[in-house]
Amino acid sequence: MAKKRPQSKAGKQQLKDGEIPVVGAREPCPCGSGRRYKACHGRAAAQAVTELVQRPFEGLSGECDWIALRELVPAATVELALKGGLPEGVPSVTLATVLPMAWPALRRDDGSVLLALQNDTSSGDLSRDLADTLQRALEAEPGTPVAARRVSADGPRLQDVLDPSAPFEPVVHSGFEFWVPDAENATPEVSASLERANAAAIPTTLLSGVDAAYWCETPEKNHLRWVMPHPEEQLLDALARLHAAGASSLGEGTRLVGSFRAHGLMVPVWDLPSAMGAEECEKPAAKFAEQLAEALASDAPLTGEERRARGGLTNRQVTLS
């Protein structure tokens, strides 16, 4: 007769599914099965964290600005409010586009927290990755950065951690001096990183008259990148109506050239003359917002010319995420 397989030791406690922690993929699974974590309870966890969440910022205050700061804006910060208030010893929590040395987060000497938005993440849910980094930063020792790590599939998301009633008000900076309270006394590594970042930053301004529209300056021409909250198909129809009617520009010398698709929303992009600054965009953008609202409200079938305009806009879409 074939030998029976040895039974697990009677005295070894078996963990319940809800108690199994996340460990390294090649480590023994904490459930006591004797298999590696990746072949046991890590299999479902790995699948869960790699599934792409199309709109990771949906439900957060300022979803469009979250996307802009993630994909379009070089240097910006936002003060964040947490559910239940700030923990003791944490005077503030600030979202930043990027941090020196590409740190995911930093607990400053005074206990305040900086959370970076533009870092690479380990899962398909950016919101869950950022929430995990934020929670670890709140518990880190003052004066230390927070490293990246693989997150648990059932961990909290930003929507669980942040106060949904608090406003999301980005402050766009010309450089990255906000990294350090005293830039003159920064370490050589941080100073070098600051110098490189400032040299690469594209001048950017947030318009004040409409939501989530960002003017930026490049050597040859300027641009307006406008993150919009409307469903993609509805927005494409509305833009096509305006384009066919000759009303899709922001004035003389400007042109709607296409759009980005980022984190589940569309970002129409206009080319602007080099002489057209952010202030000169304010009135045309406000007027366009009114025209767009009218076009969005229309449920009439697209005409042949509008369908051709829609096809052209669709062909000029670029997916960022």
Side-chain angles (χ1 to χ4, degrees):
M1 294 180 62
K3 293 183 179 180
K4 293 183 179 180
R5 294 191 178 185
Q7 300 297 314
S8 300
K9 295 181 180 179
K12 189 171 184 178
Q13 182 180 1
Q14 300 294 308
L15 297 176
K16 297 179 181 179
D17 286 349
E19 300 173 344
I20 296 170
V22 176
V23 298
R26 300 178 67 84
E27 295 180 28
C29 186
C31 74
S33 66
R35 292 182 291 173
R36 290 178 176 175
Y37 179 72
K38 68 176 183 179
C40 193
H41 284 86
R43 180 179 299 170
Q47 180 178 359
V49 298
T50 55
E51 291 178 355
L52 179 63
V53 176
Q54 297 291 338
R55 289 180 63 179
F57 306 119
E58 186 176 15
L60 292 174
S61 176
E63 179 186 9
C64 294
D65 286 303
W66 277 93
I67 293 172
L69 267 58
R70 167 72 182 182
E71 300 294 341
L72 307 173
V73 181
T77 55
V78 185
E79 295 300 312
L80 298 180
L82 308 185
K83 288 183 178 179
L86 296 171
E88 184 178 356
V90 180
S92 65
V93 174
T94 303
L95 181 73
T97 46
V98 292
L99 291 178
M101 324 298 285
W103 291 328
L106 171 66
R107 182 86 184 272
R108 281 177 162 165
D109 291 335
D110 65 354
S112 60
V113 168
L114 290 175
L115 174 67
L117 182 57
Q118 294 183 8
N119 288 64
D120 293 334
T121 56
S122 62
S123 81
D125 187 351
L126 182 57
S127 177
R128 197 181 307 280
D129 290 319
L130 289 167
D132 177 79
T133 301
L134 174 56
Q135 287 193 316
R136 290 189 290 123
L138 293 171
E139 299 170 356
E141 290 294 325
T144 59
V146 175
R149 75 170 185 182
R150 185 165 56 91
V151 304
S152 171
D154 57 357
R157 308 178 74 239
L158 289 174
Q159 289 81 347
D160 304 316
V161 176
L162 301 182
D163 181 355
S165 64
F168 190 82
E169 300 175 338
V171 177
V172 178
H173 303 278
S174 59
F176 296 88
E177 282 73 20
F178 64 85
W179 281 352
V180 287
D182 184 4
E184 293 182 358
N185 294 322
T187 65
E189 292 83 0
V190 171
S191 295
S193 184
L194 178 60
E195 184 177 350
R196 289 193 299 270
N198 283 344
I202 296 174
T204 302
T205 301
L206 171 62
L207 299 194
S208 60
V210 294
D211 293 334
Y214 292 80
W215 171 94
C216 66
E217 179 184 6
T218 60
E220 295 184 357
K221 63 184 69 175
N222 299 338
H223 305 280
L224 185 71
R225 300 163 175 174
W226 193 340
V227 187
M228 297 186 172
H230 317 291
E232 181 175 329
E233 297 302 314
Q234 182 185 3
L235 180 55
L236 279 170
D237 284 351
L239 292 174
R241 295 181 197 278
L242 295 177
H243 193 70
S248 64
S249 74
L250 297 175
E252 185 178 356
T254 71
R255 186 167 68 99
L256 175 63
V257 292
S259 63
F260 297 126
R261 185 189 288 112
H263 304 289
L265 295 182
M266 270 184 61
V267 188
V269 178
W270 285 262
D271 278 353
L272 312 173
S274 297
M276 189 173 186
E279 290 186 4
E280 288 75 28
C281 287
E282 293 284 2
K283 288 185 178 179
K287 180 181 178 182
F288 182 85
E290 295 176 359
Q291 295 174 318
L292 180 63
E294 295 178 2
L296 287 166
S298 175
D299 57 0
L302 295 181
T303 65
E305 187 176 357
E306 290 169 346
R307 287 196 300 272
R308 286 190 291 273
R310 192 185 194 280
L313 290 170
T314 303
N315 290 336
R316 296 195 298 275
Q317 278 188 316
V318 176
T319 300
L320 298 181
S321 61

